[in-house]
Amino acid sequence: MSTSIPQQQEEGDELEKTWWKEAVVYQIYPRSFFDTNGDGLGDLNGIRAKLDYLQELGVDMIWLCPVYKSPNVDNGYDVSDYQAIMDEMGTMDDFDRLLEDIHSRGMKIMMDLVLNHTSDQHPWFLESKSSKDSPKRDWYVWRDHPTNWESIFGGPAWTYDPKTRQYYFHLFSKSQVDLNWENPELRRAIYDMILWWLDKGIDGFRVDAINHLKKEYTDMPNPEGLNYVPAWEKMTNVQGIQELLAELRRETFDRYDVVTVGEANSVRAHEISEWISEEEGKFNMIFHLEAHEEAWDEESAGVDVDDLRIVLDRWQRSAQGIAWNSLYLENHDRPRTVSTWGNDREHWRESATALGCMYFFMQGTPFIYQGQEIGMTNAPFDDINMYRDIETKNMYRYNRQKGVPHKDLMKTIKKISRDHARTPMQWNFGANAGFTGGTPWIPLNPNFNWLNVKAQQQDPQSVLSFYKKMLKLRKDHEALVYGSTHLTYLECPYVYAYTREYGEARYLIISHLDDDTCSWWNPVDGELLLSNYDSYVDGKLQPYEARVYLLN
């Protein structure tokens, strides 16, 4: 007996073929990637030293988290000079050599672009706060009376400046001061900076917190009498933001053959047209959080496969024929997926590869976050002093002040802290996992003594080997890039399955996202192209088993 997958009709028009749709992007968190000078922090020369590794993996584009000059209150997302390199990372000459080396290998580079705010040490803000009469006073947001908003990192969203006797606005920390995008001079300065980087030869931008550029500055209702009130709707996707984003694209990105990805966490699939459609979109892709918000059960620390199907299929169908998706499991702001959606104990390898297979072959550009390709896990940090993330630290402090017990807070932090994605890359069995000859800026995950690149490079069944096979398979089969995606419901409740269809070519991707086995039969006339098990059990899917078939 075999499973017969019904033929589907291809939907929509075929999208234009472009290099960035065919690419696979690898995200690097530079301070945790590889350190070459022994100061415990990764650097640009460390990235250059690992280009052979990235090329062998098969990636086409490298996305760097911020390397601009910064006091590093939020690890580079507080920029003090957009056109200089932070001291810890190296020099602009180091960056130019990295750019040249990447391009010489036929690879491309994407920079992280922080446009919602600058550091409070940026010369623009230092001038803005010098006087109410400063020419740059209106480059930031100042008020005599603050609103009752709470910042995303906790505490008030306004900070008082005693010299000028006004409050300045900060959506995140008080060291990350929001720019006033209503000011045309500020916008022109931003555009000139972007053009400077594009002239240098970079190939794209991931644009941070892009749906927050426009705000509506009024108080929130406060029936509970809170000190500060979350004000998400006042600072997210506010009316008029599309006009600002259209000007940004017109004045910068449209002048070059580059790719742009906007971080727009709250955007939903039905809004896709104005954000990323090929006809009127402001970016080529966006990163949304809907799958992580809807499918992750924080209490059980597992994935709801039904919810995951609903969310991801909605995005696939909404984009079909009009737009292009970004595909990702992890990034620098998310805990490790094998620890949250998978099983990082008994079925670590199987769940790391099954989750990878689940997302990688949908229509869209796949993004791999450093360490994901070897199945790095959340760190077992029990002490709040082992964490470095400002969001984690602030959350702990503000909630302790509210009387939340330490034990309860640590239970949450061990599940969701951003630092789980920021522990150093685990290269080998040596001291500090081969990351640094010095003292790492953040503790390593102790499992590096068995979970590392060196241990997996010669193992054909490793997570790393499976990722290499996925990248090659996608490159070798055009249908796995441009084909339409059709959700397929099988008898197993924990199986995520879909077909990719392009002309006469049809593929079936299945990922069993559960610890148990389930009954299932091979497809009729299907050729197995990829599996994360070296043998299969007839009539069953094993725990976290993943397969890719070519359907004849």
Side-chain angles (χ1 to χ4, degrees), residues 134-374:
S134 165
K136 289 187 172 58
R137 184 67 170 184
D138 196 41
W139 284 32
Y140 296 84
V141 181
W142 295 90
R143 296 287 187 274
D144 289 329
H145 305 287
T147 62
N148 62 354
W149 297 1
E150 181 178 58
S151 78
I152 288 175
F153 284 175
W158 298 84
T159 291
Y160 184 68
D161 172 44
K163 180 179 179 180
T164 59
R165 297 182 180 181
Q166 282 191 318
Y167 296 82
Y168 67 83
F169 178 73
H170 50 90
L171 181 58
F172 296 94
S173 83
K174 66 179 182 180
S175 300
Q176 295 167 285
V177 193
D178 279 49
L179 292 161
N180 177 18
W181 272 76
E182 308 299 329
N183 186 303
E185 292 182 356
L186 175 277
R187 297 201 303 273
R188 185 69 260 165
I190 290 285
Y191 302 156
D192 289 344
M193 175 271 294
I194 293 172
L195 293 171
W196 184 86
W197 280 104
L198 292 172
D199 286 341
K200 186 179 277 289
I202 69 161
D203 306 290
F205 286 108
R206 176 267 190 185
V207 192
D208 184 66
I210 199 62
N211 53 338
H212 299 311
L213 295 190
K214 194 173 182 68
K215 286 90 170 175
E216 197 270 284
Y217 295 101
T218 56
D219 279 339
M220 287 289 293
N222 190 12
E224 299 179 17
L226 301 174
N227 289 331
Y228 312 109
V229 183
W232 194 249
E233 65 267 34
K234 297 285 188 177
M235 49 195 175
T236 306
N237 303 343
V238 172
Q239 184 69 34
I241 191 171
Q242 291 299 324
E243 288 74 15
L244 288 178
L245 298 178
E247 181 184 270
L248 168 64
R249 176 172 182 170
R250 185 172 62 250
E251 294 294 321
T252 57
F253 311 138
D254 277 350
R255 302 182 183 185
Y256 295 80
D257 179 23
V258 295
V259 61
T260 58
V261 190
E263 183 198 30
N265 292 345
S266 61
V267 173
R268 294 298 183 252
H270 68 273
E271 301 168 307
I272 208 169
S273 181
E274 62 182 0
W275 284 90
I276 58 171
S277 71
E278 296 198 344
E279 184 175 335
E280 60 175 317
K282 315 310 182 298
F283 301 94
N284 300 125
M285 294 174 274
I286 58 170
F287 289 130
H288 65 87
L289 264 182
E290 193 171 5
H292 290 275
E293 292 170 345
E294 299 296 328
W296 182 28
D297 184 341
E298 289 187 19
E299 289 302 314
S300 66
V303 63
D304 187 315
V305 180
D306 286 333
D307 286 345
L308 190 64
R309 284 194 202 97
I310 291 169
V311 172
L312 295 183
D313 185 56
R314 182 163 60 234
W315 278 86
Q316 289 288 298
R317 288 186 289 105
S318 296
Q320 180 63 44
I322 67 166
W324 197 253
N325 276 301
S326 66
L327 308 173
Y328 78 100
L329 283 183
E330 300 182 4
N331 61 33
H332 62 290
D333 284 333
R334 308 298 306 169
R336 293 291 184 176
T337 313
V338 69
S339 296
T340 56
W341 286 6
N343 180 332
D344 62 7
R345 300 168 303 282
E346 298 85 0
H347 297 293
W348 156 76
R349 184 192 67 83
E350 294 85 2
S351 61
T353 49
L355 286 163
C357 188
M358 179 274 297
Y359 91 101
F360 196 84
F361 293 110
M362 296 181 190
Q363 188 181 77
T365 296
F367 289 74
I368 300 170
Y369 179 69
Q370 68 180 47
Q372 176 187 328
E373 78 279 11
I374 60 170

Side-chain angles (χ1 to χ4, degrees), residues 481-541:
V481 177
Y482 291 109
S484 57
T485 307
H486 303 279
L487 194 64
T488 299
Y489 289 94
L490 303 181
E491 296 174 1
C492 301
Y494 301 110
V495 170
Y496 196 117
Y498 55 95
T499 59
R500 296 298 305 279
E501 303 175 19
Y502 192 67
E504 297 299 315
R506 299 178 64 229
Y507 297 77
L508 172 65
I509 295 89
I510 58 172
S511 293
H512 180 215
L513 304 179
D514 190 60
D515 294 313
D516 209 346
T517 60
C518 72
S519 298
W520 187 77
W521 296 91
N522 301 335
V524 176
D525 298 326
E527 177 188 351
L528 182 63
L529 300 179
L530 180 66
S531 173
N532 63 346
Y533 277 78
D534 57 5
S535 63
Y536 63 85
V537 178
D538 196 29
K540 288 186 181 297
L541 286 174

Side-chain angles (χ1 to χ4, degrees), residues 416-430:
I416 68 172
S417 174
R418 300 192 300 178
D419 276 342
H420 290 304
R422 301 175 181 188
T423 57
M425 182 69 178
Q426 296 168 201
W427 293 106
N428 57 43
F429 303 94

